[in-house]
Amino acid sequence: MSRTFIPTRRAFIVGAGAALAASALPVFAAPSARELRIGYQKAASTLVLLKSKQTLEKRLAPLGVSVKWTEFPAGPQLLEGLNVGAIDFGYVGEAPPVIAQAAGANFVYTAYEVPTPHAEGILVHRDAPIRTLADLKGKKIALNKGSDVHWFLVAALQKAGVGYTDIQPVFLPPADARAAFERGAIDAWAIWDPFLEAAKQQPNARLLADASGIVNHHQFFLSARPFARDNGDVLSVVIDEVGKEGAWVRGHYSDAAAQLAPIQGLDANVIEAGLRHYEHIYKPVDAAVLASQQRIADTFAELHIIPTKIVTQDAVLVAKG
């Protein structure tokens, strides 16, 4: 199986080697003049809570803006939705924007979440002889292609002096990867919360390493460039509301977990542990964050995970005037 990930402008290659075609995306109606279409993942707890409480809708109604929510299974698919004009705004990790920009997606970084390195990790079987990252050489490692853990795994291997071509990547979405891990079909699994925390609590799993000291694990709010250019007032309200929701989570972890449990389909204790791995603090994108993204872009280009070099600064909205 080729390890080269070459996305195109029409589709990203995601999942177990399957192509994500435009026909696989949901069918979307054309937006109204003042409609905000938000893409979210079930694991994006702040947005999930915001959606359930309808507080954003209440804030935007006086501006004549309606809100439409669309769920995506992971960041790469969400960015494809943004690329084809299906959504205006979304929340993803640090690797998907790099891959999307290389594929020509017309988006801008809107805000970021401060580093959350404990929220992703590499799991191995409890009785496996794998004790260090260097021991991953030659092993089968499951990961979601093009997601945050793709970058985390690359950086972890680099730190251990192991080449990316010295492992056997197995590209699987979280549910399939967990099944493969449980039946022993893979040696290790790179995954993020809340799936990470759920798997850690299983008797057959052991955390080999999280991202601490390896990568920042930033999360980003992204906007379609045309929408950001013309709807700065709407985006200001959105970022303000997610910031308030993040502050509420930091003060009410148990309550937040209880509300998320029936939505995310996990035990509230698992969700709470995962929530505590995130900071839920959002800031404007700055030069240091863009430099961190550039490092990902340069590495991915060298490994041919993306087909061309990019400049992350190009995905920033330049103020008028």
Side-chain angles (χ1 to χ4, degrees):
M1 179 184 294
S2 171
R3 297 189 178 107
T4 302
F5 183 30
I6 306 179
T8 69
R9 288 177 182 268
R10 292 183 63 81
F12 295 109
I13 301 173
V14 296
L20 176 65
S23 60
L25 290 169
V27 177
F28 298 88
S32 62
R34 293 288 279 180
E35 180 181 56
L36 169 64
R37 299 167 300 164
I38 300 176
Y40 72 101
Q41 305 169 54
K42 193 171 289 186
S45 298
T46 303
L47 283 182
V48 171
L49 289 168
L50 200 62
K51 177 179 181 291
S52 68
K53 296 177 181 179
Q54 298 286 292
T55 51
L56 181 59
E57 284 81 350
K58 294 173 184 176
R59 278 284 304 275
L60 289 175
L63 299 179
V65 180
S66 61
V67 182
K68 180 178 181 180
W69 299 82
T70 301
E71 182 181 338
F72 291 85
Q77 294 95 324
L78 190 154
L79 264 296
E80 172 63 9
L82 187 146
N83 192 26
V84 300
I87 59 172
D88 308 304
F89 181 84
Y91 174 80
V92 298
E94 55 197 352
V98 168
I99 294 173
Q101 188 178 350
N106 192 23
F107 71 89
V108 293
Y109 290 98
T110 302
Y112 78 98
E113 182 173 7
V114 298
T116 57
H118 298 295
E120 61 182 354
I122 298 172
L123 297 170
V124 297
H125 299 285
R126 186 167 297 279
D127 57 356
I130 303 171
R131 296 294 169 182
T132 69
L133 290 170
D135 294 333
L136 292 173
K137 185 175 182 178
K139 299 298 189 291
K140 292 182 179 179
I141 307 174
L143 66 147
N144 194 68
K145 197 171 195 177
S147 67
D148 274 8
V149 292
H150 202 155
W151 164 237
F152 168 43
L153 179 60
V154 166
L157 294 171
Q158 286 183 335
K159 183 175 182 178
V162 178
Y164 182 61
T165 57
D166 292 330
I167 64 156
Q168 301 178 58
V170 180
F171 298 121
L172 297 172
D176 294 339
R178 177 166 180 167
F181 184 82
E182 290 178 347
R183 67 174 182 268
I186 54 175
D187 301 299
W189 178 22
I191 189 59
W192 61 89
D193 276 323
F195 311 110
L196 172 63
E197 192 60 36
K200 279 167 56 179
Q201 297 191 18
Q202 299 302 307
N204 66 327
R206 170 168 51 87
L207 180 66
L208 178 66
D210 65 17
S212 301
I214 301 174
V215 299
N216 290 318
H217 193 233
H218 288 120
Q219 307 291 308
F220 290 96
F221 290 106
L222 307 177
S223 306
R225 187 183 295 271
F227 186 89
R229 184 184 58 235
D230 300 332
N231 297 277
D233 58 336
V234 175
L235 293 178
S236 293
V237 172
V238 176
I239 297 304
D240 183 56
E241 284 300 315
V242 296
K244 290 177 180 178
E245 195 62 35
W248 180 82
V249 170
R250 294 196 306 274
H252 303 84
Y253 284 114
S254 296
D255 291 340
Q259 292 182 29
L260 289 166
I263 301 171
Q264 296 182 340
L266 295 170
D267 184 83
N269 292 330
V270 169
I271 294 174
E272 182 174 348
L275 285 175
R276 291 180 180 275
H277 290 158
Y278 288 89
E279 296 295 334
H280 310 285
I281 298 173
Y282 311 105
K283 296 183 176 182
V285 173
D286 56 30
V289 171
L290 288 173
S292 180
Q293 289 296 97
Q294 190 65 52
R295 179 190 169 202
I296 300 173
D298 293 343
T299 302
F300 275 12
E302 291 170 5
L303 294 173
H304 304 292
I305 294 172
I306 59 175
T308 185
K309 291 185 177 181
I310 63 169
V311 177
T312 56
Q313 178 67 42
D314 291 343
V316 174
L317 188 67
V318 178
K320 296 179 181 179

